[in-house]
Amino acid sequence: MHLTRLMTMNLGSPAGQCRAAPVDLGPGRPGAVLAAWAADFDVDPYSEMFFFPTDTLKLALFTTDGDLLWRRDLGRAVVPGLWFCPVFPFDLDGDGVDEIWLVNNVNTLHPLGLSGYRLERLDAATGQTTGQWPWPAWPESRLSHTFRNFIAGGYIRGEPVLVTAQGTYEDMHLQGRRPDMAVRWTCDIPADAPGARGSHMCPVVDLNQDGTDELMWGERCIELDRGTELFCADRDAYRGHSDVVQPLWDAAAGRWRLYTARESDSGTAPRVVLFDDAGRRLWGDVDHGHMDMGWTARLGDDGRHTAMAIRIGRKTCGPDGRHHQDIGEFAWDALTGRPAPLPFSVYRTLPVDLNGDGRHELVRGIPGGDGAVLDGRGRPLGSVEGTVALAAKLCDHPGEQVFTYRDDGTVALWADADAHDSQAALERYAQPFYRLARRLTATGYNLPLLGGL
């Protein structure tokens, strides 16, 4: 592997946090990346982790060739944290060009003033606001519960639907919106409703392959046509929330599976579970603990998926970053649940197919990682020299690419100069889920989603 930078530029200000997502500018236009960053580490709404930011959240759109198209500062009213301000590129009006959707705040004096929160639409070509609509406000008793905002989207037999959502731990509210911004449906899940809560991930996938996408809201499968719940996995056995909810493609069966790793200790259900596409449990393991991170990835020589999860005993977060103590690592054959311990640490790693062979390498690029790139057996292949904000097929270069940032605001697009796209890789890129999942990397903790393909 020969790691090389396809693009390097500076955002113009420090980047202690950075999220990014690909933006489609239309036929014949180059690939583009939207970055959302601030000098501070990501501000979490949990009261024991929240801190007063010193900087403002900024947006910039640039091509994968390094041409800056526009830059915008959202100002002091927007708290620079992903749960306060999700960002999502999506072509809702069907003109072939993405709009950029985010949560803004028109109350410039009160960053936590819910009455000023707005769903905002930006023109991708200019960054200018083209519409604002009131963001649904559901005041909760705790800061951590009030500010949990999501934006996602999918399709009903080709018709786009934008999804906005609020909540994770108690009351949860979701809305589906038509291209004219009329509310198509609402789905409200009260705190005392049986079954799981939400997740920090929000994959959209046609799980049952009927032509209508579903949103996985935790272990609840909500179809996007009417906002109805198709199933809630382990409804009677689990009422907590899962840190990891990842669709997993079972190529041999031609069906989707759902991999989950659960944070909350609640009920009698195991902490790590694989479900089928109707929410039936296929296997489960680990009987206790906070499973905080995880993914599935094609690490085997035969392309089979490995599933991993990280159990932590304690977590702190603040201006100096996010830190974990008492870490335990687990790994399984993803489809059978047979334990398959890895001979190296996968802590703070993300799966990415840099060389295009249809199997995953791992980049230690989650904040706090060192940027090292490893093959499926843990052997070092080089470094991307930064923190990963996006890993996907982003431009006309073989293999997937990795978009990284550094504290001084330097961003880079990394690739394998020797990559070649195999048939297996081309089939991954062509999956509708692939195109949807790579848009979700600036809302929620969705960076690992593509490992499920």
Side-chain angles (χ1 to χ4, degrees):
M1 179 171 291
H2 178 199
L3 291 171
T4 186
R5 295 181 185 89
L6 300 180
M7 178 273 288
T8 304
M9 62 180 293
N10 194 281
L11 295 170
S13 62
Q17 62 169 279
C18 182
R19 292 172 273 149
V23 176
D24 190 344
L25 297 176
R29 299 294 302 278
V33 174
L34 175 74
W37 81 97
D40 302 285
F41 189 73
D42 185 55
V43 181
D44 193 285
Y46 176 45
S47 59
E48 298 296 326
M49 297 180 178
F50 180 86
F51 61 92
F52 291 108
T54 64
D55 194 20
T56 55
L57 189 66
K58 302 166 184 68
L59 304 177
L61 187 75
F62 41 86
T63 70
T64 52
D65 296 327
D67 295 326
L68 179 66
L69 302 183
W70 52 264
R71 187 176 186 274
R72 178 169 171 177
D73 191 325
L74 295 182
R76 300 293 298 178
V78 174
V79 179
L82 65 89
W83 303 120
F84 295 93
C85 179
V87 181
F88 181 62
F90 188 63
D91 180 16
L92 184 62
D93 62 15
D95 66 353
V97 179
D98 286 339
E99 304 88 53
I100 295 169
W101 304 87
L102 60 106
V103 176
N104 207 337
N105 182 11
V106 299
N107 186 341
T108 58
L109 297 180
H110 300 100
L112 304 181
L114 285 173
S115 62
Y117 278 44
R118 299 289 184 270
L119 172 65
E120 184 161 318
R121 182 184 63 203
L122 307 184
D123 184 315
T126 65
Q128 297 300 307
T129 301
T130 60
Q132 285 184 335
W133 298 266
W135 182 256
W138 309 93
E140 295 274 5
S141 59
R142 284 177 278 181
L143 188 73
S144 182
H145 293 190
T146 301
F147 296 97
R148 296 285 171 176
N149 298 323
F150 297 79
I151 308 175
Y155 296 90
I156 304 166
R157 295 172 292 278
E159 178 186 354
V161 177
L162 186 75
V163 179
T164 52
Q166 308 82 36
T168 297
Y169 304 116
E170 291 187 354
D171 291 327
M172 301 177 290
H173 309 273
L174 304 94
Q175 307 84 37
R177 297 171 186 267
R178 301 179 186 274
D180 64 0
M181 296 308 294
V183 175
R184 181 185 185 110
W185 51 261
T186 60
C187 176
D188 299 310
I189 305 166
D192 60 356
R197 302 297 88 192
S199 172
H200 302 313
M201 301 171 75
C202 54
V204 177
V205 59
D206 186 2
L207 199 72
N208 57 11
Q209 302 184 72
D210 67 349
T212 294
D213 286 329
E214 288 84 41
L215 169 71
M216 291 310 309
W217 188 252
E219 280 125 53
R220 296 174 191 268
C221 181
I222 299 172
E223 55 84 24
L224 296 192
D225 188 4
R226 292 168 295 174
T228 54
E229 181 185 294
L230 300 185
F231 67 78
C232 179
D234 274 352
R235 185 191 303 274
D236 297 327
Y238 187 67
R239 293 200 73 256
H241 83 276
S242 293
D243 270 355
V244 178
V245 175
Q246 183 180 34
L248 167 65
W249 179 245
D250 183 345
R255 306 187 72 157
W256 286 103
R257 311 304 184 195
L258 191 71
Y259 174 67
T260 67
R262 293 160 162 173
E263 173 176 335
S264 310
D265 281 309
S266 174
T268 60
R271 319 307 304 145
V272 179
V273 185
L274 186 76
F275 299 100
D276 70 7
D277 54 6
R280 294 178 290 251
R281 194 191 299 175
L282 297 176
W283 63 262
D285 199 6
V286 187
D287 61 5
H288 72 281
H290 173 174
M291 310 307 286
D292 190 85
M293 295 183 286
W295 42 246
T296 67
R298 294 184 181 274
L299 298 187
D301 292 337
D302 59 357
R304 287 183 66 83
H305 274 90
T306 295
M308 83 85 176
I310 304 292
R311 183 167 64 194
I312 67 166
R314 183 170 177 266
K315 176 169 61 176
T316 59
C317 183
D320 61 341
R322 186 174 289 108
H323 308 282
H324 301 137
Q325 291 81 41
D326 301 325
I327 297 166
E329 301 189 29
F330 302 82
W332 303 264
D333 178 283
L335 293 177
T336 67
R338 288 193 299 267
L342 294 167
F344 62 101
S345 174
V346 290
Y347 178 56
R348 297 190 186 273
T349 60
L350 293 166
V352 56
D353 181 12
L354 282 160
N355 62 14
D357 67 355
R359 298 186 297 273
H360 289 104
E361 292 78 49
L362 299 175
V363 56
R364 208 177 296 282
I366 292 177
D370 57 10
V373 178
L374 313 172
D375 69 9
R377 298 178 182 177
R379 295 175 296 200
L381 299 173
S383 176
V384 295
E385 300 174 9
T387 302
V388 177
L390 177 58
K393 185 79 162 180
L394 300 174
C395 63
D396 187 19
H397 182 92
E400 293 182 320
Q401 294 81 47
V402 173
F403 177 79
T404 63
Y405 67 96
R406 296 175 66 88
D407 288 347
D408 66 358
T410 298
V411 295
L413 185 64
W414 291 83
D416 177 9
D418 300 327
H420 172 76
D421 280 329
S422 66
Q423 185 60 36
L426 294 173
E427 290 172 1
R428 288 183 67 238
Y429 309 150
Q431 275 267 15
F433 173 70
Y434 191 97
R435 296 193 292 273
L436 284 173
R438 71 188 196 121
R439 297 176 180 274
L440 283 167
T441 45
T443 182
Y445 292 149
N446 290 302
L447 263 178
L449 280 180
L450 291 178
L453 274 176

